[in-house]
Amino acid sequence: MAETLLVVDVGNTVTQMGLAREGRLTARWEVATRTAATPDECCLAVEGFLDAAARGLAEAPAPLPPDAAGAGDGAPGDGGEPAGRPGDAALACVVPALTSAWEAALRRVTGRRPLVVGPGVKTGLRMGYKDPAEVGADRIADLVATREDHGAPALVVDLGTATTFEVIDADGSFAGGLIVPGAAMGARALADAAARLPQVELRAPGAVIGRSTEEAMRSGIVWGEAARIDGLADLIEAELGYALPLILSGEGAGLLAGLLRHEAAADPALTLRGLVRLHALNRRPR
């Protein structure tokens, strides 16, 4: 029986966990990222996910679109039967204070030191970045999954605490990108800095022109994020001289994909699938 892989992406706001078998994600789970956590607490989060997956409560990742580069040939992301107890793990963590706790927890759960994405990990990517060591682990995973599952060229936009734009050029190389404050960060900053403005939920506005303070804020933040993505995509395409398929991942990917002028594919499990790919590149089966 194929070994089950546990993949964990620790972001500044949300931590994603996934299970994969034979290169395919079978379950996905999200929890809020704690600013501090012990290995015991990380273990509890993982065990909660494993229990939910065993009981069929964890999300089954949506299949890749039929026209995706890897669709139909065993590419990850197609769901499938529930996976068993994990025998290995791969970790991407952009919160340095949490890396050791998660690494210890994953070693305890699987009985094996996890693959931690960072300098020295094989990616199969040609890097156009001045210092590749500066590229975050989640960005690396996004790039690997995008190139393998969606092809090149491509522009991947990962929506999180920061919104990152990553460009894979026509040669399949990482050409660089942009990092901007995320929509949720903007909403929190607006509510914190302006005494009379509330914190609003980021969901689809009913109209562009808001008719209350809450509607105006929601419309400005959500439509503003969509306009920013469209505008920056236009500038990137103008600089490169060719069009780029647009892939959205992260928080609210499905919502924003439907609001853009550019045709965009929402792929919420992109980072987890990238971790599955990176594990395959760097680990030999036992």
Side-chain angles (χ1 to χ4, degrees):
M1 183 176 178
E3 183 177 68
T4 296
L5 172 68
L6 171 65
V7 288
V8 179
D9 169 35
V10 182
N12 289 289
T13 304
V14 172
T15 294
Q16 291 191 91
M17 291 178 273
L19 289 175
R21 189 171 58 191
E22 296 181 340
R24 296 173 183 265
L25 279 176
T26 61
R28 178 172 168 264
W29 195 250
E30 289 186 354
V31 296
T33 298
R34 297 168 58 92
T35 55
T38 66
D40 289 343
E41 290 169 318
C42 296
C43 270
L44 283 175
V46 172
E47 292 296 342
F49 165 49
L50 295 178
D51 178 64
R55 296 166 60 192
L57 300 178
E59 176 188 352
L64 288 170
D67 58 348
D73 63 358
D78 295 330
E81 298 178 3
R85 187 85 186 171
D88 202 359
L91 171 68
C93 182
V94 298
V95 186
L98 295 177
T99 301
S100 60
W102 272 101
E103 185 175 355
L106 296 179
R107 185 169 189 167
R108 193 183 304 175
V109 168
T110 65
R112 189 178 185 188
R113 184 180 181 278
L115 172 72
V116 180
V117 179
V121 169
K122 292 185 290 185
T123 66
L125 287 168
R126 293 189 298 275
M127 304 292 285
Y129 228 58
K130 292 180 179 178
D131 183 0
E134 293 181 353
V135 184
D138 55 343
R139 297 169 72 193
I140 292 291
D142 285 347
L143 289 164
V144 169
T146 298
R147 194 186 66 173
E148 294 299 318
D149 296 336
H150 297 279
L155 171 60
V156 56
V157 180
D158 195 331
L159 306 156
T161 304
T163 294
T164 59
F165 292 71
E166 314 300 349
V167 179
I168 299 175
D169 64 22
D171 296 326
S173 302
F174 174 41
L178 299 85
I179 303 174
V180 300
M185 180 190 293
R188 288 193 298 271
L190 195 58
D192 290 345
R196 296 188 62 184
L197 295 182
Q199 179 71 55
V200 297
E201 180 185 358
L202 298 186
R203 52 184 171 83
V208 174
I209 302 172
R211 301 186 186 279
S212 69
T213 299
E214 185 174 333
E215 288 181 0
M217 290 178 66
R218 181 177 296 113
S219 186
I221 293 165
V222 176
W223 279 111
E225 183 72 355
R228 178 168 67 173
I229 293 171
D230 274 325
L232 289 174
D234 286 340
L235 291 174
I236 290 168
E237 290 178 341
E239 185 167 299
L240 290 175
Y242 50 81
L244 294 167
L246 185 57
I247 315 299
L248 264 60
S249 187
E251 303 164 47
L255 165 64
L256 283 165
L259 300 179
L260 300 179
R261 288 185 291 102
H262 289 76
E263 184 176 348
D267 191 348
L270 186 72
T271 308
L272 295 180
R273 289 208 318 279
L275 286 172
V276 176
R277 297 280 189 182
L278 286 165
H279 180 271
L281 285 170
N282 287 272
R283 285 278 217 245
R284 292 182 179 177
R286 287 191 291 186

